[in-house]
């Protein structure tokens, strides 16, 4: 998925190249709400409501940000009409409850903020640049991404890379990391290999001395091109002949594209059953209609589906039963020093559920992460420490 924080910034910059006069922005502060109010159903209803307004006025866009805030951009929509639409969405989330918080733009007791881009463009742009920088790209396809002390890429460099990347052999840039099952005592069993493109090798090949991830909104624009490159490689008969079970990170837009249809047609049935498609949670939530349209086709063709990008912080508000997937990937971080006693009953219930989706605890680089997986009954793990323990035959 193209990160929505980055996508909004790209969209805004393109508006700035034209005349943004006539465009208005509504920023709906869903992130300020209690977790129970930020349900998938409320988000879906809110986005559907704005979708009706977007269809009526044609020129506009909806963005579901990483924080779960909703951004709606529309042209020639009057301020009273936009405010009425936002009032409707406030009713969806809060009913008759009032707003007690002060939002990030300084509005006291305001659930939404309206901007006129003809007057407020620089203010909105500065905010968008800030959240795009904090958002991260959100795709483990580029799991090695680090900015380091290198210079920053610009639009010219990005355009050149996009032109060149389809013409080179990507194999030296492609790496993999196993996902292991630790359900049975003894040595972990490899379930599948996650394939990802090394950002460091991309930089060394296409832009030495520059960092692809220093401007994340530019890098996010590159991820769909990387989808195409990975699909092209996996469609190669020699690669298919290896027969290993793999997972790939992919955007829903790619899965709905002709290039994926071509890839699927060239892939033997027995090979498709060994492919796990990892799709980011924000991509699914924002495009839930497209996801539900694609799932029957993907399952009929033999693929398995993985919900990517979960953390202990957002797991409580994700409706796993409403998302038809086989696996869900939960990321451990250095700050996640937590035990079962500190988790909410909702999170514990989801983690210990023995029905699908099955959880994968990723970034298991510390002993604490493995202890947590065992404590919660998580059956699959991934990370550098796990790789080391398997290589050295250290028992789990």
């Amino acid at each position: 998925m193209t990160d929505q924080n980055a996508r909004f910034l790209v969209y805004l910059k393109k508006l700035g190249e034209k005349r943004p006069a006539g465009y208005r922005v509504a920023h709906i502060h869903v992130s300020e709400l209690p977790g129970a109010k930020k349900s998938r159903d409320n988000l879906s209803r809110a986005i559907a409501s704005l979708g009706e307004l977007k269809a009526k006025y044609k020129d506009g866009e909806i963005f579901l940000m990483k924080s779960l805030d909703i951004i709606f951009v529309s042209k020639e929509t009057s301020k009273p009409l936009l405010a009425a639409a936002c009032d409707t969405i406030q009713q969806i989330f809060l009913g008759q409850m009032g707003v007690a918080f002060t939002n990030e733009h300084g509005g006291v007791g305001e659930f939404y903020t309206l901007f006129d881009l003809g007057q407020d463009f620089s203010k909105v742009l500065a905010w968008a640049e800030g959240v795009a920088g904090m958002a991260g790209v959100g795709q483990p396809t580029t799991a090695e991404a680090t900015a380091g002390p290198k210079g920053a890429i610009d639009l010219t460099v990005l355009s050149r890379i996009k032109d060149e990347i389809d013409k080179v052999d990507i194999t030296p840039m492609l790496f993999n990391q196993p996902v292991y099952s630790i359900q049975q005592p003894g040595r972990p069993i490899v379930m599948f290999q996650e394939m990802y493109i090394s950002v460091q090798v991309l930089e060394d090949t296409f832009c030495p001395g520059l960092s692809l991830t220093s401007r994340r909104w530019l890098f996010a624009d590159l991820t769909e091109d990387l989808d195409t490159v990975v699909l092209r490689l996996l469609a190669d008969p020699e690669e298919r002949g290896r027969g290993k079970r793999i997972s790939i990170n992919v955007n829903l837009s790619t899965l709905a594209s002709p290039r994926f249809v071509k890839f699927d047609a060239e892939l033997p049935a027995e090979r498709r059953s060994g492919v796990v498609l990892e799709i980011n949670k924000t991509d699914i939530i924002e495009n839930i209609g497209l996801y539900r349209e694609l799932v029957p086709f993907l399952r009929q063709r033999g693929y398995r589906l993985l919900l990517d990008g979960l953390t202990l912080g957002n797991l409580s508000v994700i409706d796993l039963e409403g998302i038809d997937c086989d696996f869900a990937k939960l990321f451990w971080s250095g700050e996640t020093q937590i035990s079962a006693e500190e988790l909410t009953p909702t999170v514990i219930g989801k983690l210990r559920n023995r029905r699908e989706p099955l959880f994968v605890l990723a970034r298991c680089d510390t002993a604490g992460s493995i202890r947590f997986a065992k404590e919660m009954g998580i059956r699959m793990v991934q990370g550098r420490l796990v790789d080391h323990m398997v290589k050295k035959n250290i028992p789990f």
Side-chain angles (χ1 to χ4, degrees):
M1 178 207 76
T2 301
D3 183 272
Q4 292 298 291
N5 295 40
R7 180 171 163 257
F8 175 53
L9 180 57
V10 172
Y11 177 87
L12 202 59
K13 283 180 174 286
K14 288 179 180 178
L15 280 186
E17 294 171 0
K18 304 183 291 185
R19 292 180 62 86
Y23 283 88
R24 287 191 169 87
V25 173
H27 180 175
I28 302 169
H29 302 280
V30 179
S31 61
E32 303 283 356
L33 301 178
K37 298 291 184 182
K38 296 182 283 192
S39 67
R40 181 186 61 82
D41 182 61
N42 284 349
L43 286 166
S44 297
R45 289 171 60 200
I47 290 171
S49 178
L50 290 173
E52 294 176 4
L53 193 60
K54 175 187 171 184
K56 183 176 180 180
Y57 286 89
K58 306 299 182 185
D59 198 351
E61 195 58 81
I62 303 169
F63 303 88
L64 180 63
M65 309 300 276
K66 188 175 183 182
S67 66
L68 298 184
D69 280 2
I70 300 172
I71 303 292
F72 178 57
V73 185
S74 183
K75 187 178 182 183
E76 307 300 347
T77 306
S78 69
K79 190 172 181 179
L81 183 60
L82 198 54
C86 291
D87 286 337
T88 298
I89 291 172
Q90 182 170 334
Q91 289 284 322
I92 290 173
F93 283 99
L94 292 174
Q96 299 304 313
M97 289 177 57
V99 176
F101 57 77
T102 298
N103 67 49
E104 61 186 299
H105 300 301
V108 180
E110 295 178 357
F111 181 62
Y112 57 87
T113 307
L114 303 182
F115 297 99
D116 185 333
L117 287 186
Q119 302 171 7
D120 303 318
F121 182 80
S122 59
K123 181 177 181 179
V124 178
L125 179 63
W127 178 83
E129 288 176 335
V131 296
M134 293 186 294
V137 175
Q139 283 226 112
T141 308
T142 52
E144 295 182 358
T146 54
K150 300 179 180 180
I153 62 168
D154 56 23
L155 283 168
T156 302
V157 174
L158 180 70
S159 297
R160 175 177 57 78
I161 294 173
K162 288 164 73 73
D163 288 339
E164 293 178 0
I165 201 167
D166 195 48
K167 304 172 185 176
V168 302
D169 178 13
I170 204 73
T171 306
M173 307 176 200
L174 198 64
F175 293 81
N176 58 69
Q177 185 175 44
V179 170
Y180 298 95
S181 169
I182 57 171
Q183 186 172 3
Q184 302 297 329
R187 185 180 176 88
I189 300 170
V190 176
M191 298 298 292
F192 50 86
Q193 301 267 0
E194 179 184 1
M195 303 185 71
Y196 64 91
I197 292 176
S198 166
V199 171
Q200 182 178 343
V201 179
L202 275 177
E203 291 172 345
D204 292 344
T205 303
F206 294 108
C207 53
L210 298 178
S211 168
L212 283 171
T213 57
S214 55
R215 290 179 175 168
R216 294 183 181 276
W217 62 276
L218 286 176
F219 181 65
D221 191 53
L222 186 62
T223 59
E224 292 185 11
D225 297 80
L226 298 179
D227 281 356
T228 300
V229 170
V230 171
L231 291 180
R232 185 185 68 199
L233 176 65
L234 296 181
D236 182 84
E238 182 177 343
E239 180 63 31
R240 292 203 306 260
R242 301 181 193 276
K244 60 186 178 184
R245 293 171 292 181
I246 63 169
S247 72
I248 57 173
N249 298 270
V250 66
N251 300 300
L252 283 175
S253 58
T254 298
L255 295 176
S257 69
R259 61 183 178 273
F260 184 78
V261 173
K262 182 176 183 294
F263 164 79
D264 172 77
E266 295 174 350
L267 206 62
E270 65 274 12
R271 188 76 173 98
R272 291 195 298 267
S273 63
V275 176
V276 177
L277 302 173
E278 302 199 18
I279 309 168
N280 189 272
K281 69 179 187 310
T282 309
D283 198 3
I284 292 177
I285 291 172
E286 183 182 0
N287 302 292
I288 189 66
L290 176 59
Y291 180 76
R292 286 172 175 163
E293 288 178 17
L294 290 172
V295 166
F297 166 77
L298 296 172
R299 289 203 180 285
Q300 187 271 329
R301 300 297 287 173
Y303 301 103
R304 290 183 293 172
L305 306 173
L306 183 149
L307 171 64
D308 195 14
L310 299 180
T311 66
L312 289 175
N314 61 39
L315 181 59
S316 62
V317 298
I318 299 293
D319 179 10
L320 294 175
E321 293 184 2
I323 298 176
D324 184 5
C325 58
D326 303 282
F327 308 104
K329 183 172 287 188
L330 181 71
F331 286 89
W332 180 269
S333 72
E335 293 75 32
T336 318
Q337 302 300 328
I338 194 167
S339 66
E341 290 74 22
E342 299 173 83
L343 296 175
T344 66
T346 298
V347 171
I348 293 175
K350 289 181 177 181
L351 290 174
R352 289 181 170 165
N353 189 347
R354 289 297 172 262
R355 301 188 302 273
E356 291 184 347
L358 300 178
F359 280 96
V360 178
L361 186 63
R363 296 180 187 160
C364 288
D365 302 329
T366 65
S369 60
I370 296 175
R371 283 196 300 269
F372 180 82
K374 288 185 173 183
E375 185 178 11
M376 298 309 303
I378 295 175
R379 307 182 192 185
M380 290 183 287
V381 294
Q382 179 185 38
R384 291 193 298 268
L385 179 58
V386 186
D387 294 336
H388 174 76
M389 292 176 71
V390 170
K391 183 177 179 180
K392 299 295 183 180
N393 287 315
I394 300 173
F396 276 67

